[in-house]
Amino acid sequence: MRREVSEQDLAKKYKANDMVRADCNGCEGCSACCQGMGESVILDPMDIARLASGLGISQAQLLQSALELHVSDGVILPNMKMAGEEEKCCFLNEEGRCRVHAIRPGVCRLFPLGRIYEEGGFSYFLQHQECPKPVKSKVKIIKWIDTPGLKQYESYILRWHELLEAVRELLEKSEDEQLARDINSYLLQNFYLKEYPASDFYAEFEVRRESFQKLLKVLSAGQK
């Protein structure tokens, strides 16, 4: 999701092996970062596959029960559903603890860090005003994100970002509403609703990405 970032936040950029003051040490009973987030907790395909598998349900069932669909920068994507007057994440328990912490989405793993994409890659940055805890401990980013095979995961995140940017670029050039509906439908069906094999998510994602990339090139050529 595109957003404005303050100069203070971008004053220092980090890589996966850097240390950063991001660890709230669990902040017993806080869960402020799991409430009132609106539509900002957007899920990527791996999030969907990991959550559905961990919960023992289909990806379609997950979309129907715990997620919502909203337009993000022109593209329809799923985000975590907030519930009740306090707009709490639907996976918070009564003690304010995450019921899916081991399989939580990438945005949750990253917070309060963000990513800035530049020069064919990305860096991490600390969102200083996002977490209310005044003093946080230093932690290595690779440990904080807590995802096995981080290099492979980062490569996937970059490819997913580039694919979404290609979709947005095409939709911004075109005024064809039916084309926009068809592309968004294809994206949801092939990357979020179609099940991924448990054996190798990355390999299957790459097959789907390459196929969609070719389709986008054909559609983009037709817009010229």
Side-chain angles (χ1 to χ4, degrees), residues 44-68:
D44 61 58
M46 186 174 186
D47 294 332
I48 295 283
R50 184 159 44 188
L51 276 168
S53 176
L55 293 169
I57 60 177
S58 70
Q59 292 171 197
Q61 288 173 316
L62 178 65
L63 279 164
Q64 292 169 1
S65 61
L67 308 178
E68 299 173 324

Side-chain angles (χ1 to χ4, degrees), residues 31-173:
S31 69
C33 57
C34 305
Q35 303 180 44
M37 300 303 288
E39 304 164 9
S40 66
V41 186
I42 297 173
L43 279 70
D44 61 58
M46 186 174 186
D47 294 332
I48 295 283
R50 184 159 44 188
L51 276 168
S53 176
L55 293 169
I57 60 177
S58 70
Q59 292 171 197
Q61 288 173 316
L62 178 65
L63 279 164
Q64 292 169 1
S65 61
L67 308 178
E68 299 173 324
L69 293 177
H70 284 99
V71 178
S72 173
D73 305 319
V75 183
I76 298 175
L77 296 171
N79 63 268
M80 197 70 81
K81 184 184 295 184
M82 300 291 150
E85 293 182 3
E86 296 179 334
E87 292 190 350
K88 293 183 177 181
C89 173
C90 61
F91 287 119
L92 273 185
N93 64 21
E94 294 180 355
E95 289 74 40
R97 291 301 187 185
C98 178
R99 294 188 288 109
V100 294
H101 189 264
I103 52 173
R104 64 197 183 282
V107 172
C108 304
R109 293 171 183 273
L110 192 62
F111 189 87
L113 301 176
R115 298 188 191 97
I116 178 167
Y117 296 86
E118 50 191 0
E119 299 178 359
F122 66 80
S123 299
Y124 299 97
F125 65 91
L126 179 62
Q127 302 178 89
H128 290 83
Q129 306 303 318
E130 294 298 321
C131 177
K133 185 175 174 63
V135 180
K136 292 179 278 293
S137 303
K138 277 192 171 185
V139 62
K140 185 173 283 192
I141 289 176
I142 189 172
K143 180 180 179 182
W144 183 247
I145 295 176
D146 185 27
T147 294
L150 187 62
K151 284 188 177 180
Q152 188 176 27
Y153 175 72
E154 288 183 327
S155 178
Y156 151 72
I157 287 294
L158 181 59
R159 281 174 167 77
W160 177 240
H161 169 79
E162 291 172 343
L163 188 64
L164 290 182
E165 286 300 298
V167 171
R168 289 171 177 133
E169 182 179 351
L170 175 59
L171 295 183
E172 286 171 359
K173 290 180 179 178

Side-chain angles (χ1 to χ4, degrees), residues 181-194:
R181 286 193 290 270
D182 289 344
I183 289 177
N184 275 301
S185 177
Y186 184 101
L187 189 74
L188 290 171
Q189 289 293 331
N190 287 275
F191 289 93
Y192 287 104
L193 287 170
K194 187 178 179 181

